Every structure is written in structure tokens, then in C-alpha cells.
């Protein structure tokens, strides 16, 4: 009896010790953001920005096999604090370098795991770290986002009909739905990034970074409808061909776990970016700051640039003496256009090979002749491939085409972000780098920082771009264009594919396969080349269309795709945005609006003081409200004291080169 009583008392002491509540406070370097971490029966955090509660107490945990839950009844061993103020170079980005300043807290727990927290002046993040000797199997992860009020959200929902029983097959293309937290659409999930609109003009965007050997994060409404909880795709066990042209791999059987992985590893970052000013969201570096440094030692062969693209314009060139289509003559014409206009690349989209076997060429396309023709004219060739076809023999295919002189691949129809697919993306990136090949991941989940780790990946889709919009008259494209710089673009570059030369007002827009048009004005399209980040940026229209509009084409060809400095001038989510970017000694400026016509003021105080600059300006014409192609081009002198007002037409824009 005495032994039993002693054992009971010892057990009681142990339980009491493990459940003793401990609080930690971690503040941002400027003191505005405060994160409170509470360790008790579980681990949770709250986030405040000055006097405003951003995140109510929200739990976090990681469940391994045999119901080992890291984060439930945790026993804290010790903690470690550190303050970091550093910077790193970013050669293929919107600025030359990124300042990385934050305060850090690492909590080390029994059972060989830690939780690391970082607080920046613009947000906060945490991740799990395990230090297990053997490999582990992750069954689930608990990510909760709780709020004190029913705030409005801008949420991208999964909308995909290829496999209705499996919501994790997705093209990650969706306009944002403006709903309250409690109005989250039933029976679906949403993907990241998404935005919460708080009071006092404050907003928060939720992201993830350093997604490696792990599935991507989705969210759904929690049971109380006061916030969100995580959902992840389970690991694929069986797959079959399906989807578009049967070139997707659809999941027919999933495991009861997320991933089998190394026992000692860092897990993905869970991120909340907080802004007092909408424009700040359009120039945010959080994903870069929380991603792994480059694994490529020699970056000299990586050349960003623009791409003459065939698919969107349906190979529709004319006033020529040959039949346009997927053939050698047509692609030579594209190469000639690219060379004349100093466009760095031409992409051969679907049709140059068999879709299921890209080692077998279309007999009408002499690939080796095109590579040689392009080389003579300083134009590189990029090849389209489905993910399924490329992964039949990734190493062999990449080496074969690298040896032929191809510059890169546009990889399409991944349409998943389970751990198997994420690992495949890393594998393709490494093997492409080994062969000095560029990558554009189309049909892809949102970027999560791999673009810093493998900078040969120059672009990602994961956006409802111009390609999709050519068929969707009911989509509000200018609204979406004025939203994604504050949300999706925070995750990384976007293969939006701008550049339409046939531009339409809201009432005049209609779908067209071979003569597609854009919603909004010509200047709206020109401005996107500065606003939308894309180190490998498509020119979506045909050479014929561009040659008819040489002034606009010259403007596009002069606009670079990476920059040394970025200044977010002004903006409001969903309404308008204005951004200036610098490359060497030249500034580039873009501004766009939704369907509401508005007057904006451009303050040129970002220019170097005491110097005069010449600004080449494309602004909406007086009749752009009826003829969206109408624009005015002028050259004026400006300096850092200049302030100019411009009227943007509905769906309009403003574009400048200042030197």
C-alpha cells in the first residue's frame, strides 16, 4: 500500500510538472508585434500588433505513429533566445539583397523535439524541429488559426472537377472570395496564401515556407467557425493516369500518414505577415527570409528574361507565305521576332513532341535546326513537358536535351502538393541544375521558397493567369490583378503570362481561342510587366500582334524581369496598386486599377535627389473607357520633387520607364 501511494504521488508530481503553465514573450525588433507562447497541456501562441489582437490562442502539434503527439502535455527542458540582424544576396529577385532582422526563441522539449519562433517587424513564424535518431512517420500536423472576431477574408478555394472525391488534386488557380471567417464555403478546402482583413486598416497574410519532404498546407473552417484548422494530403500509394488529355497522375489510394521522413529535420514554417499599410504587402520578403540558401554554387549560367510564347495566341501569325502551326517555319518566325526585339527565349509548348513521351518528336518540328537557328540569333529554346512525361526518366531526358542545347523546361500538370510531388519538384530542380537547365513550373502549387534554394527555378504558376482568363468572361480579372500583388505574389514569382495586345472593356470582352483578348486596357497589360514578379516572363500574344503594336512591344522588351530595388508606392487590396522597381540606373513603374476608374498621384520621391530624369510614360487614352487599346505615350522630365496625377480608366493602368 505504501509503495502504491508513493508511486501515485510521484506520478502526480510528474503530471503536475508536465502541465505547469509557462509563458514566453517574444517581440519584434521594433516592438510593435508581440508573440506570447503558452506551454501547458499543449503549446499555443497568440499574436498582437500594438493594441490589436491578430491571432487568438492557437494550438500547434505534430502527431507521429503510435500516437506520439509532439506538443501535447509537453515537458520543457530549456529555452534559447537570440537576436539576428543580417542580410543576404538575392540575384534573381525584386531586389539585390534582403535584410533579415528578427528575434528568435527556441523551446526544447522532452521527446527530442523543439519549436522555433521568429518575430520580424512585419510578421511572425514558427516551425517544428525533430532530433530523433531513427526515421519517423508523420500522421498529422495541427495548425490552428483562431480569431477574436468574425473578420472578412480573401480566400482561394479549391475548385477542380478532375477528381471530385479528392480535393487535393488542384491546379491552385482560383479568384479570391470575399467572405467572413464564419462563411467559409462548406465541403471544400482553401489553399495558401490567403488574407484576413482586420480593423484599423490592418491585414494579415498566411503563408508557409521551406516546404521540403512534406505536403502543402490547406485550411478549412474549425468547428466553432471562429478560425481555421489545417488539412494535408496523405501520402499517395496508388495512382492512375487521368485529368486533361490523360496526363495527370490521379491518386486512387492514400496512406494513413503524411510522410515517412528523416527523424532529424526542420519542418515547414507557418507564417503570419502583418501590415498596417496595404502597399507594404506588395513588397514583402518573408518567404525569402525563411527559405534555405541556394544549393547551386555557380549561378553564372542562370539567365532570366522574357519568352515569346506560342500557346495562348494559338500559333496565330499571318501575312506570311507558309501555313502557321506547330512546325519548324512557325518557330523560326517566333525566333526572328524574339531576336529582333531582344527577347531572350522562345518556348515550344505542347505539340512539339508526343505528350506521353517527349523523347519522340513531332515530325513537323526540326528541333535541332531550331536550336541552331536560335543560337545564331541569341535566342534560347525552352521546351514544354508534362510532369508525368518528364518523370518517366528525369535524368536521361534532361541530359539528352541539355546536350542538344536546350536552355530549360516548362513543366506542366503537376497539380498536387503531397509529399511525393514536393519531393519530385526538388528532384527535378537538382537534376536540372546538374545539367544547367532553367525551370518554369506551370500547373504548380504556390512557391514556398525553393526558388531561393534552387534559383534555376525562375517561375511558378499557381495563379489564375491570362491563360485561364481567355475563356472566363464572368471572372473579374482587374479585381484579381489588383489583389494578387498583396496575396499570391508574397509567396513568390508568378507565371501569369501577361502581354495581350487585344484589350477589351468590361462590356466588350468575350472569349476567343485564336484571337484572345484581355480584360482592361493596353496600359494595364504594360504595367503588369513591372508589377508582377516573374524572372522568366512570358509575352503571351503573337509576333504578328506585337509587330502591329511596336511601341508597346518596345516598352515590354526594355522592361527587365529581375530588379535591384523595389518600392511599393501605393495601393489598396482589390482596388489598385502602384510599384516602382530599379535596375541599374533605370526605374520602371507600373500602376493598375480594378474596373473603377480612379485618379492616382505618383510621387517621384524614390528618385535620387538633385538629378533630372526622363520618363517615358504610357497612360490610358482619353477614350480608353470605350476603346481599351487607346493609350497616350509621352516623354517628360521629372525629379524627386515631382508629383503627377493620372486618371486610370476602368481596368486601366500606367507604365513608365524613368532614366
Amino acid at each position: 500500500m505504501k509503495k502504491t501511494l508513493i508511486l501515485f504521488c510521484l506520478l502526480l508530481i510528474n503530471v503536475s510538472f508536465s502541465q505547469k503553465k509557462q509563458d514566453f514573450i517574444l517581440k519584434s525588433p521594433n516592438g510593435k508585434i508581440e508573440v506570447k507562447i503558452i506551454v501547458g497541456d499543449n503549446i499555443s501562441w497568440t499574436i498582437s500588433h500594438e493594441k490589436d489582437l491578430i491571432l487568438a490562442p492557437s494550438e500547434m502539434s505534430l502527431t507521429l505513429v503510435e500516437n506520439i503527439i509532439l506538443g501535447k502535455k509537453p515537458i520543457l527542458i530549456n529555452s534559447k533566445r537570440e537576436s539576428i540582424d543580417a542580410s543576404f544576396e538575392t540575384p534573381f529577385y525584386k531586389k539585390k539583397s534582403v535584410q533579415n532582422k528578427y528575434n528568435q526563441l527556441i523551446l526544447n522539449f522532452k521527446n527530442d523535439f523543439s519549436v522555433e519562433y521568429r518575430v520580424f517587424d512585419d510578421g511572425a513564424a514558427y516551425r517544428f524541429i525533430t532530433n530523433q535518431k531513427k526515421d519517423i512517420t508523420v500522421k498529422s500536423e495541427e495548425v490552428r488559426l483562431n480569431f477574436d472576431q468574425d473578420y472578412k477574408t480573401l480566400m482561394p478555394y479549391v475548385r477542380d472537377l478532375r477528381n471530385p472525391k479528392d480535393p487535393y488534386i488542384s491546379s491552385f488557380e482560383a479568384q479570391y472570395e470575399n467572405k467572413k471567417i464564419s462563411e467559409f464555403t462548406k465541403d471544400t478546402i482553401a489553399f495558401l496564401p490567403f488574407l484576413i482583413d482586420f480593423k484599423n486598416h490592418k491585414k494579415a497574410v498566411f503563408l508557409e515556407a521551406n516546404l521540403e519532404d512534406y505536403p502543402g498546407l490547406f485550411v478549412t473552417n474549425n468547428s466553432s467557425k471562429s478560425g481555421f484548422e489545417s488539412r494535408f494530403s496523405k501520402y499517395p500509394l496508388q495512382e492512375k493516369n487521368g485529368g486533361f488529355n490523360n496526363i495527370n497522375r490521379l491518386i486512387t489510394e492514400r496512406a494513413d500518414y503524411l510522410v515517412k521522413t528523416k527523424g532529424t529535420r526542420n519542418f515547414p514554417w507557418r507564417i503570419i505577415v502583418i501590415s498596417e499599410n496595404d502597399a507594404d504587402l506588395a513588397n514583402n520578403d518573408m518567404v525569402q527570409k525563411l527559405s534555405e540558401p541556394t544549393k547551386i554554387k555557380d549561378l553564372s549560367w542562370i539567365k532570366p528574361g522574357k519568352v515569346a510564347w506560342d500557346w495562348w495566341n494559338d500559333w496565330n501569325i499571318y501575312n506570311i507565305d507558309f501555313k502557321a502551326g506547330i512546325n519548324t517555319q512557325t518557330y523560326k518566325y517566333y525566333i526572328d521576332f524574339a531576336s529582333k526585339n531582344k527577347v531572350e527565349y522562345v518556348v515550344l509548348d505542347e505539340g512539339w513532341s508526343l505528350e506521353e513521351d517527349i523523347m519522340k518528336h513531332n515530325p513537323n518540328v526540326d528541333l535541332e535546326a531550331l536550336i541552331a537557328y536560335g543560337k545564331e540569333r541569341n535566342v534560347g529554346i525552352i521546351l514544354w513537358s508534362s510532369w508525368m512525361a518528364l518523370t518517366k526518366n528525369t535524368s536521361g531526358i534532361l541530359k539528352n536535351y541539355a546536350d542538344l542545347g536546350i536552355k530549360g523546361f516548362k513543366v506542366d500538370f503537376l497539380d498536387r502538393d503531397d509529399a511525393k510531388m514536393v519531393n519530385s519538384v526538388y528532384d527535378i530542380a537538382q537534376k536540372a541544375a546538374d545539367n544547367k537547365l532553367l525551370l518554369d513550373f506551370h500547373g504548380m502549387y504556390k512557391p514556398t521558397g525553393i526558388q531561393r534554394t534552387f534559383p534555376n527555378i525562375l517561375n511558378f504558376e499557381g495563379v489564375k493567369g491570362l491563360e485561364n482568363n481567355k475563356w472566363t468572361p464572368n471572372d473579374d480579372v482587374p479585381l484579381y490583378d489588383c489583389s494578387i500583388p498583396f496575396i499570391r505574389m508574397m509567396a513568390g514569382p508568378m507565371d501569369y503570362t501577361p502581354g495581350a495586345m487585344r484589350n477589351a472593356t468590361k462590356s466588350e470582352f468575350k472569349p476567343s481561342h485564336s484571337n484572345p483578348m484581355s480584360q482592361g486596357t493596353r496600359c494595364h497589360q504594360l504595367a503588369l510587366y513591372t508589377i508582377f514578379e516573374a524572372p522568366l516572363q512570358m509575352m503571351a500574344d503573337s509576333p504578328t500582334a506585337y509587330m502591329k503594336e511596336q511601341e508597346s512591344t518596345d516598352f515590354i522588351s526594355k522592361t527587365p524581369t529581375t530588379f535591384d530595388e523595389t518600392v511599393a508606392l501605393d495601393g489598396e487590396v482589390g482596388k489598385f496598386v502602384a510599384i516602382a522597381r530599379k535596375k541599374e540606373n533605370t526605374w520602371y513603374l507600373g500602376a493598375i486599377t480594378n474596373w473603377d476608374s480612379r485618379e492616382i498621384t505618383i510621387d517621384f520621391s524614390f528618385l535620387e535627389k538633385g538629378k533630372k530624369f526622363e520618363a517615358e510614360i504610357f497612360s490610358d487614352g482619353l477614350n480608353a473607357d470605350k476603346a481599351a487599346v487607346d493609350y497616350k505615350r509621352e516623354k517628360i522630365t521629372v525629379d524627386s520633387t515631382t508629383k503627377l496625377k493620372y486618371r486610370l480608366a476602368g481596368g486601366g493602368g500606367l507604365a513608365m520607364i524613368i532614366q
Side-chain angles (χ1 to χ4, degrees):
M1 181 67 184
K2 287 183 179 179
K3 283 186 178 181
T4 304
L5 184 60
I6 291 170
L7 286 172
F8 176 76
C9 291
L10 288 173
L11 181 62
L12 186 61
I13 291 169
N14 187 54
V15 170
S16 299
F17 175 76
S18 67
Q19 294 180 357
K20 183 181 178 182
K21 185 170 168 290
Q22 296 172 276
D23 295 350
F24 297 85
I25 301 294
L26 188 63
K27 292 189 176 184
S28 59
N30 66 7
K32 287 189 174 184
I33 299 175
E34 179 180 286
V35 173
K36 183 178 182 181
I37 300 106
I38 305 162
V39 179
D41 289 340
N42 52 38
I43 305 170
S44 66
W45 68 336
T46 64
I47 302 177
S48 299
H49 186 278
E50 296 179 317
K51 295 180 180 180
D52 296 316
L53 181 64
I54 301 298
L55 189 70
S58 300
E59 298 80 19
M60 57 200 68
S61 66
L62 199 66
T63 301
L64 310 183
V65 290
E66 299 176 353
N67 289 322
I68 299 171
I69 305 178
L70 307 181
K72 298 299 181 184
K73 300 192 182 304
I75 299 175
L76 182 67
I77 298 174
N78 57 46
S79 63
K80 181 182 178 183
R81 293 179 182 269
E82 191 173 4
S83 294
I84 302 295
D85 188 355
S87 63
F88 56 88
E89 299 301 306
T90 49
F92 310 113
Y93 191 48
K94 59 189 174 187
K95 55 193 69 170
K96 267 187 175 181
S97 65
V98 168
Q99 190 72 22
N100 196 17
K101 186 176 182 180
Y102 59 89
N103 292 325
Q104 176 176 284
L105 171 68
I106 299 177
L107 301 179
N108 297 310
F109 296 94
K110 187 180 178 182
N111 289 333
D112 299 319
F113 81 97
S114 307
V115 185
E116 179 179 359
Y117 301 88
R118 292 183 186 177
V119 185
F120 305 79
D121 286 342
D122 55 354
Y126 78 86
R127 67 177 173 184
F128 276 87
I129 301 170
T130 54
N131 190 22
Q132 314 273 340
K133 294 179 180 179
K134 297 181 180 179
D135 288 353
I136 57 176
T137 300
V138 180
K139 294 199 69 174
S140 64
E141 182 184 352
E142 178 188 31
V143 181
R144 291 189 175 272
L145 302 169
N146 298 324
F147 302 93
D148 65 332
Q149 294 181 35
D150 196 9
Y151 296 109
K152 286 186 176 181
T153 71
L154 286 176
M155 191 73 66
Y157 292 97
V158 171
R159 304 285 197 205
D160 205 298
L161 301 177
R162 279 170 293 185
N163 193 2
K165 295 181 180 179
D166 189 345
Y168 299 102
I169 301 295
S170 172
S171 63
F172 299 86
E173 299 171 329
Q175 292 208 325
Y176 299 106
E177 296 191 28
N178 190 341
K179 296 182 176 182
K180 289 185 176 181
I181 294 169
S182 62
E183 297 170 341
F184 190 94
T185 301
K186 293 181 180 179
D187 302 321
T188 188
I189 53 178
F191 53 89
L192 277 55
F194 65 89
L195 179 144
I196 304 289
D197 190 352
F198 296 94
K199 57 188 177 183
N200 299 331
H201 304 290
K202 294 180 182 179
K203 293 181 175 67
V205 175
F206 296 82
L207 306 112
E208 63 179 334
N210 205 30
L211 181 66
E212 183 175 2
D213 194 22
Y214 205 76
L217 171 62
F218 296 82
V219 297
T220 190
N221 219 330
N222 61 22
S223 57
S224 65
K225 296 186 178 181
S226 61
F228 307 106
E229 58 187 39
S230 53
R231 292 290 184 270
F232 297 91
S233 53
K234 304 286 188 178
Y235 195 85
L237 294 178
Q238 297 290 334
E239 304 172 34
K240 68 175 183 179
N241 292 359
F244 177 78
N245 282 358
N246 223 35
I247 56 174
N248 278 115
R249 293 291 286 170
L250 304 182
I251 313 302
T252 57
E253 183 183 355
R254 293 186 183 273
D256 64 349
Y257 57 84
L258 305 185
V259 66
K260 292 183 176 180
T261 186
K262 294 178 181 178
T264 299
R265 61 161 295 176
N266 299 325
F267 285 83
W269 287 101
R270 311 303 174 202
I271 308 167
I272 301 176
V273 173
I274 303 164
S275 174
E276 299 176 83
N277 178 8
D278 287 10
D280 293 339
L281 295 173
N283 185 21
N284 187 272
D285 305 309
M286 188 67 83
V287 170
Q288 283 278 323
K289 290 186 288 192
L290 292 171
S291 300
E292 291 296 313
T294 181
K295 294 184 178 181
I296 303 174
K297 292 181 179 179
D298 175 21
L299 304 178
S300 62
W301 57 272
I302 300 175
K303 305 293 183 184
K306 287 176 289 295
V307 186
W309 184 35
D310 51 3
W311 184 92
W312 188 79
N313 55 77
D314 194 28
W315 298 265
N316 189 6
I317 54 176
Y318 49 91
N319 295 329
I320 51 177
D321 57 2
F322 59 89
K323 182 65 176 176
I326 306 173
N327 56 51
T328 303
Q329 285 178 298
T330 296
Y331 281 120
K332 283 186 175 181
Y333 193 87
Y334 276 75
I335 291 169
D336 286 338
F337 161 76
S339 179
K340 180 182 177 182
N341 291 280
K342 297 181 180 179
V343 175
E344 291 85 352
Y345 301 100
V346 168
V347 67
L348 277 59
D349 214 288
E350 64 172 342
W352 71 271
S353 70
L354 298 184
E355 285 192 341
E356 68 276 8
D357 186 352
I358 60 171
M359 296 298 284
K360 295 179 181 178
H361 299 181
N362 180 336
N364 297 319
V365 177
D366 188 338
L367 184 60
E368 292 189 34
L370 290 174
I371 294 168
Y373 193 78
K375 186 175 182 180
E376 291 172 359
R377 289 154 180 80
N378 202 30
V379 177
I381 302 296
I382 293 172
L383 298 177
W384 177 93
S385 173
S386 71
W387 170 81
M388 185 179 70
L390 180 62
T391 52
K392 288 180 177 179
N393 179 16
T394 305
S395 295
I397 291 170
L398 294 177
K399 185 178 187 311
N400 174 75
Y401 286 110
D403 289 346
L404 285 178
I406 292 299
K407 299 301 181 183
F409 271 88
K410 175 182 177 181
V411 186
D412 205 351
F413 290 99
L414 294 81
D415 295 340
R416 293 161 30 198
D417 67 350
D418 51 61
K420 183 176 181 180
M421 180 59 76
V422 171
N423 286 341
S424 178
V425 168
Y426 274 82
D427 180 65
I428 294 169
Q430 181 64 66
K431 290 173 179 174
D434 292 342
N435 288 281
K436 296 187 175 180
L437 290 172
L438 306 176
L439 289 170
D440 173 11
F441 278 115
H442 207 67
M444 170 72 174
Y445 59 86
K446 81 283 181 187
T448 58
I450 191 177
Q451 64 270 27
R452 183 184 172 201
T453 312
F454 286 98
N456 59 319
I457 306 176
L458 292 178
N459 218 350
F460 304 78
E461 195 179 16
V463 68
K464 195 174 176 68
L466 197 69
E467 164 193 319
N468 194 295
N469 296 333
K470 71 188 255 184
W471 294 303
T472 52
N474 296 324
D475 282 353
D476 189 334
V477 176
L479 170 68
Y480 184 64
D481 290 351
C482 292
S483 301
I484 50 180
F486 308 97
I487 308 175
R488 161 60 183 86
M489 200 166 73
M490 288 179 61
M494 309 183 299
D495 199 16
Y496 180 98
T497 68
M501 293 292 103
R502 287 172 294 277
N503 316 110
T505 62
K506 190 174 186 178
S507 60
E508 294 294 320
F509 177 82
K510 60 181 182 294
S512 174
H513 180 71
S514 297
N515 289 285
M517 60 181 68
S518 70
Q519 294 185 28
T521 70
R522 170 67 54 77
C523 290
H524 187 104
Q525 287 294 304
L526 296 182
L528 298 184
Y529 282 90
T530 295
I531 295 171
F532 287 174
E533 296 167 27
L536 194 67
Q537 182 66 281
M538 300 290 161
M539 296 174 65
D541 224 322
S542 74
T544 304
Y546 285 123
M547 288 187 290
K548 280 184 171 183
E549 302 287 351
Q550 195 61 48
E551 273 191 344
S552 296
T553 304
D554 289 344
F555 182 92
I556 294 170
S557 67
K558 288 187 289 187
T559 303
T561 63
T562 61
F563 299 89
D564 300 332
E565 187 179 345
T566 288
V567 179
L569 300 174
D570 201 1
E572 191 172 344
V573 177
K575 293 184 178 181
F576 76 102
V577 63
I579 296 175
R581 305 190 196 273
K582 186 180 183 183
K583 184 75 168 184
E584 296 176 347
N585 296 317
T586 303
W587 283 91
Y588 304 83
L589 188 149
I592 56 173
T593 182
N594 58 14
W595 280 124
D596 295 330
S597 175
R598 74 181 68 246
E599 187 177 83
I600 65 170
T601 298
I602 301 298
D603 183 342
F604 290 83
S605 58
F606 57 86
L607 296 175
E608 187 178 347
K609 290 179 173 57
K611 288 190 175 183
K612 298 289 185 181
F613 294 81
E614 181 185 75
E616 179 185 8
I617 303 172
F618 285 70
S619 57
D620 290 330
L622 289 173
N623 298 298
D625 58 333
K626 289 185 177 180
V629 295
D630 187 31
Y631 68 87
K632 177 183 178 182
R633 177 179 176 268
E634 60 182 331
K635 289 187 177 182
I636 64 172
T637 300
V638 297
D639 60 31
S640 62
T641 67
T642 303
K643 291 184 180 181
L644 296 176
K645 290 184 178 181
Y646 287 91
R647 169 62 61 176
L648 306 186
L654 174 70
M656 301 185 192
I657 298 176
I658 308 163
Q659 55 191 353

